[in-house]
Structure formats: C-alpha cells, structure tokens
C-alpha cells in the first residue's frame, strides 16, 4: 500500500489505470475476434420485439401513469429499506418512545403522500 499525502491519489490513479486497461483490452479483443465480413441477411436491421414483426411507425408515447407507478414502487421500496434497520435497532434496550415516534413521523409523511395521490386520482387505472 502507498502511504503518505499522495498515497490515496496514487491508489486512485492505479485503479483508474487498471480500469482503462480492462476497457482497452476488451475492445481490442473484440476487434481481433470479430468476423472480417459480417453476414448481412435481409431484414437484419429490422427491430424485433418478442417474436412479433414490427408494424407501424417507431414512435410510441408512454403515458405518465407508468412513471407514477414506478415512482410509488421506489418510494415504498425505500420505505421498506428504512423499516428493517429500524426494527433491528428497536429491539435493543433503551430505544423506546423516541424510535417509535420517529418511525411514526416517517410513515405518516409517506401516508400523506399516498393520501394526496389518491385524492388527486393519480392511482386510478383508466
């Protein structure tokens, strides 16, 4: 290990250098191992999705509700991530009313967010 003032910078430089070498090596191996004249059968560049031939244009709009559901999923996944460590700490002696109050506030803020989304009819599927 490199010690001293510049030691951490030297370690960082070595890691970056190793990353660059892996990157260059991967692309070099790809260049050496690829076929010289790749075959180009008809229809090779047509988009292929789930075994269905493409029909129509390539532009499709996605409705915002899909993003809302993804956001709500992430929100509750993060809530679950915070609830598990809290449950482990709550089991220890000396963590009583304060930890219950903190978690109640945390869950109440999330519940207010869900109540707001429900009242604005964001959660209705049309």
């Amino acid at each position: 290990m490199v010690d001293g003032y510049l030691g951490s910078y030297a370690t960082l430089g070595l890691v970056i250098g190793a990353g660059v070498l892996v990157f260059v090596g991967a692309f070099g191996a790809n260049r050496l191992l690829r076929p010289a004249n790749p075959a180009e059968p008809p229809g090779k560049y047509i988009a292929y999705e789930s075994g269905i031939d493409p029909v129509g244009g390539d532009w499709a709009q996605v409705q915002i509700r899909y993003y809302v559901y993804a956001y709500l999923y992430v929100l509750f996944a993060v809530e679950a991530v915070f609830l598990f460590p809290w449950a482990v700490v709550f089991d220890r002696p000396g963590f009583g009313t304060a930890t219950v109050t903190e978690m109640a506030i945390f869950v109440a803020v999330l519940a207010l967010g869900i109540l707001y989304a429900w009242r604005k009819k964001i959660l209705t599927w049309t």
Side-chain angles (χ1 to χ4, degrees):
M1 276 232 139
V2 182
D3 292 332
Y5 177 72
L6 297 176
S8 58
Y9 290 111
T11 304
L12 177 65
L14 289 172
V15 169
I16 289 174
V20 167
L21 282 175
V22 167
F23 181 80
V24 169
F27 274 90
N30 182 24
R31 187 168 181 101
L32 289 173
L33 298 175
R34 72 178 181 186
N37 295 319
E40 292 193 26
K44 180 178 180 179
Y45 295 112
I46 293 177
Y48 187 72
E49 183 80 26
S50 300
I52 300 171
D53 291 329
V55 176
D58 59 347
W59 176 256
Q61 290 183 339
V62 178
Q63 297 200 12
I64 190 69
R65 74 173 61 98
Y66 298 122
Y67 296 110
V68 171
Y69 281 107
Y71 178 72
L72 289 173
Y73 171 76
V74 169
L75 180 76
F76 284 105
V78 169
E79 177 187 4
V81 166
F82 282 121
L83 282 174
F84 287 123
W86 172 80
V88 170
V89 169
F90 183 69
D91 190 33
R92 295 182 184 161
F95 294 95
T97 311
T99 51
V100 171
T101 305
E102 289 172 1
M103 191 49 61
I105 292 170
F106 178 69
V107 171
V109 168
L110 290 174
L112 283 174
I114 286 291
L115 182 64
Y116 175 78
W118 185 37
R119 298 274 301 194
K120 290 289 185 177
K121 301 202 187 290
I122 293 173
L123 300 177
T124 58
W125 191 266
T126 56

